[in-house]
Amino acid sequence: MRLVEAADAYARHVRDVRRLSAATVRAYRADLADFAASSSDLELADVDLEHLREWLWQATKRGDARSTIARRTAAVRGFFAWASESGLVDADPSLRLVAPKRGRTLPNVATADAVGGLLDELARTAAAGDPVALRDHALLEVLYGAGIRVSELCGLDLDDIDSERRTARVTGKGSKERVVPFGGPAAAALDAYLVRGRPALLARRDDVAGERAIFLGARGARLGPRAAYDVVSRVLGPVVGSTVGPHALRHSAATHLLDGGADLRTVQELLGHASLGTTQIYTHVSSERLAATYRLAHPRA
């Protein structure tokens, strides 16, 4: 079997059988397509460990991040494990392929005062009644108030919100659902948007039947993650001092929860992390802030 044909079959397998997220499937498909392009003259059965090592070495020489190379390693390992189980290859050439350790960098985090000032400014702008301003205010309040991912926010439908309990039902990675709370400011901003902003945006569409999305674009269709990223980057970038997206609000929410005394397990459940180790990075952020405060305030620091 040709390598590219096998790669396509594996992409369908992880999508339909393993039911990985759409983003993971796209990343794996791109990685395997790149490997197939680098080894276009090879049949699947001809691939050996040295071919895989050379492919990763070329990525290293290009300057690809360690996290990218680690993901590529995972992609080909999964691919050849599947090919071996399916009887497409006699032996798995990736068994001895070693992935680089992922570098752990601290996320961009805005201070609580900075986020509060930003949201207050958005509230003043939204008070004029512009539907896009109302949406942007609600969007940032919900992202920060609930600590959800941008894909989870864009996937919210009207019946996912429980206004009385101030909770939202979101679908995270691996199609796992969880219920997350949000506070009074987010509830107020969301209510103002749903009453005055969303109907105005929806009216810009010719066909509005069946549209259940909460957050809409300027033309009345469901807001996509790319558009939401642009909104957050435009308003949050100057506060953080770098190019950031919606994840910076999620990072900030998690860090501020820990700073306020929330336990790690609670933050893990709120964020929808499968592993506690993923959540633990925020303890390092809090420790950095604690150390900085100590150096500034303690007379013998």
Side-chain angles (χ1 to χ4, degrees), residues 51-88:
H51 291 124
L52 297 173
R53 285 175 171 168
E54 176 62 22
W55 175 59
L56 294 179
W57 172 239
Q58 292 300 325
T60 302
K61 289 200 298 183
R62 284 199 307 268
D64 288 3
R66 282 189 294 177
S67 59
T68 300
I69 296 173
R71 189 200 65 226
R72 289 186 163 212
T73 305
V76 293
R77 277 178 171 173
F79 170 57
F80 279 103
W82 165 81
S84 179
E85 292 171 1
S86 303
L88 300 178

Side-chain angles (χ1 to χ4, degrees), residues 89-129:
V89 295
D90 294 331
D92 183 348
S94 70
L95 289 176
R96 291 167 53 207
L97 193 64
V98 178
K101 291 184 177 180
R102 292 175 182 261
R104 174 156 285 192
T105 57
L106 297 182
N108 287 320
V109 172
T111 66
D113 287 343
V115 175
L118 170 66
L119 294 174
D120 288 345
E121 179 61 29
L122 288 175
R124 286 189 288 269
T125 302

Side-chain angles (χ1 to χ4, degrees), residues 72-299:
R72 289 186 163 212
T73 305
V76 293
R77 277 178 171 173
F79 170 57
F80 279 103
W82 165 81
S84 179
E85 292 171 1
S86 303
L88 300 178
V89 295
D90 294 331
D92 183 348
S94 70
L95 289 176
R96 291 167 53 207
L97 193 64
V98 178
K101 291 184 177 180
R102 292 175 182 261
R104 174 156 285 192
T105 57
L106 297 182
N108 287 320
V109 172
T111 66
D113 287 343
V115 175
L118 170 66
L119 294 174
D120 288 345
E121 179 61 29
L122 288 175
R124 286 189 288 269
T125 302
D130 177 73
V132 172
L134 286 162
R135 181 205 65 193
D136 291 352
H137 179 218
L139 186 151
L140 269 80
E141 284 280 11
V142 172
L143 278 174
Y144 176 65
I148 59 178
R149 302 176 178 93
V150 66
S151 59
E152 295 168 346
L153 175 120
C154 293
L156 284 174
D157 288 336
L158 294 172
D159 54 3
D160 290 328
I161 299 295
D162 187 328
S163 299
E164 291 185 3
R165 292 186 173 88
R166 291 181 184 170
T167 59
R169 183 179 66 246
V170 299
T171 303
K173 291 184 176 180
S175 299
K176 295 179 180 178
E177 286 191 356
R178 69 185 190 282
V179 175
V180 294
F182 53 86
L190 190 58
D191 184 63
Y193 163 66
L194 291 176
V195 171
R196 295 187 288 143
R198 185 180 181 276
L201 293 176
L202 196 61
R204 298 176 182 181
R205 286 181 58 181
D206 294 331
D207 179 16
V208 300
E211 181 58 80
R212 303 295 296 166
I214 289 180
F215 289 99
L216 305 176
R219 297 182 179 178
R222 182 184 292 271
L223 188 72
R226 179 71 252 179
Y229 183 102
D230 291 340
V231 170
V232 176
S233 180
R234 172 171 49 80
V235 299
L236 186 62
V239 174
V240 177
S242 60
T243 302
V244 294
H247 234 60
L249 283 174
R250 181 170 158 90
H251 294 323
S252 300
T255 304
H256 299 162
L257 279 166
L258 290 170
D259 286 343
D263 67 89
L264 201 59
R265 286 288 184 188
T266 299
V267 176
Q268 178 192 6
E269 290 185 20
L270 180 69
L271 299 182
H273 286 160
S275 167
L276 188 64
T278 306
T279 317
Q280 283 177 328
I281 190 172
Y282 299 110
T283 64
H284 299 305
V285 178
S286 294
S287 297
E288 286 287 314
R289 183 168 296 169
L290 177 64
T293 302
Y294 172 84
R295 287 192 293 269
L296 288 173
H298 198 286

